[in-house]
Amino acid sequence: MSKSTVRVLAVLTVLAPAVALASPALADDSHKEHDRTMTLHAQLDPFKVNKVTGHGTAQVRLKGNEAHVKMKVSGLLGGAPHAQHFHIAAKGVCPPESAAKVRNGKRFLNTTDGIPFYGTIGTSLTTTGDTSPASGLAVDRFPVGSDYHYERTIKLSDEAAKSLRNGTGVVVVHGIDYNNNGKYDDNLGPSDLDPKLPAEATNPALCGALKKSADGPVHGGQGGTQLAASDSPLTAATATGGAALLAVAGGAFLLRRRAGRQG
């Protein structure tokens, strides 16, 4: 065996473990992604076409399928229940005012008008009990009043958790007072979700897309580490594996070239 061949084998022996470790690292990071804690925020803005002037905020701390939800809402119809949900798996945005339609001579936005934008109900943000879509109209288990704070830890379905992680989760608060008479009445006709309820009780009032917060401080300067948004552990592991492969290829090429010159 020539000296050049021995050198090539030595280089491969040293670098092979680094290459072998890169692939398991990728699989491990992918497996753990679901269990990483993620914080999302939403600014809840009013649907002015529905004669709403309120506003609010929402924060969701998500780990696996467990979500700790905090909401602060103000300026809605007092003394009335307000259904609230995570809508999921669509465009992940609130519908524009142009999505509203004229019905009974009045232009307003109902829940169905917004589905192409914010999606269907994924989670019912009730105060107690069930949080599935089946509780979407459980008016006796939603917050009541013009101003309220909501906080609850709940378990999401796989589909809902995935939608929030993928950036297509939207918080929607329902219940409007279109004619400003201090109660839900039939001035807009029956609800598109349940004809036994007035449309005012289920039409969307506030809406906000859930957006991921920063993953913590970015360190820079001498001795620090600064990662761009694309520099995830997955990317870093790929880079490590790629660098090792390039080193192997480069070392082998140089040794062959040197051996050729010696020959």
Side-chain angles (χ1 to χ4, degrees):
M1 185 181 295
S2 68
K3 291 182 178 180
S4 61
T5 302
V6 172
R7 288 170 183 165
V8 170
L9 290 175
V11 171
L12 290 171
T13 301
V14 172
L15 292 178
V19 177
L21 287 172
S23 179
L26 292 176
D28 186 58
D29 283 335
S30 176
H31 178 72
K32 290 181 179 179
E33 183 64 28
H34 176 265
D35 294 324
R36 287 199 178 99
T37 299
M38 173 186 290
T39 302
L40 305 120
H41 288 91
Q43 178 69 41
L44 305 180
D45 295 320
F47 286 107
K48 295 180 180 178
V49 71
N50 283 352
K51 314 298 184 186
V52 180
T53 58
H55 59 276
T57 57
Q59 176 184 294
V60 180
R61 190 165 179 81
L62 180 65
K63 183 175 183 180
N65 282 35
E66 185 176 272
H68 184 72
V69 186
K70 291 183 179 180
M71 292 176 60
K72 184 178 180 181
V73 171
S74 62
L76 299 184
L77 177 60
H82 293 280
Q84 50 183 23
H85 315 98
F86 289 152
H87 285 250
I88 63 169
K91 296 179 180 179
V93 299
C94 297
E97 303 264 310
S98 59
K101 296 180 174 62
V102 176
R103 303 172 181 88
N104 302 322
K106 298 174 182 176
R107 184 169 176 264
F108 59 91
L109 183 90
N110 66 22
T111 301
T112 306
D113 294 332
I115 287 177
F117 302 90
Y118 49 54
T120 57
I121 296 174
T123 306
S124 300
L125 301 176
T126 55
T127 54
T128 61
D130 178 58
T131 59
S132 74
S135 291
L137 295 179
V139 293
D140 58 329
R141 292 188 288 114
F142 283 113
V144 176
S146 60
D147 307 324
Y148 63 82
H149 289 222
Y150 173 86
E151 183 170 358
R152 189 180 180 191
T153 299
I154 58 179
K155 188 169 184 179
L156 307 184
S157 67
D158 291 341
E159 184 183 16
K162 180 180 178 181
S163 184
L164 265 62
R165 289 187 182 280
N166 290 345
T168 56
V170 180
V171 178
V172 182
V173 179
H174 302 258
I176 68 172
D177 184 11
Y178 192 88
N179 56 352
N180 196 32
N181 68 344
K183 62 181 180 180
Y184 295 148
D185 63 23
D186 291 319
N187 77 98
L188 299 180
S191 166
D192 56 318
L193 302 181
D194 183 349
K196 296 178 182 178
L197 297 173
E200 282 192 333
T202 63
N203 282 358
L206 306 176
C207 181
L210 286 164
K211 300 300 181 184
K212 184 180 177 182
S213 302
D215 286 333
V218 177
H219 303 289
Q222 188 172 1
T225 301
Q226 186 170 348
L227 295 178
S230 60
D231 290 333
S232 64
L234 188 66
T235 308
T238 304
T240 301
L245 289 170
L246 288 173
V248 171
F253 173 75
L254 289 174
L255 288 174
R256 287 196 201 99
R257 186 175 180 184
R258 185 181 298 171
R261 286 177 178 174
Q262 289 174 350

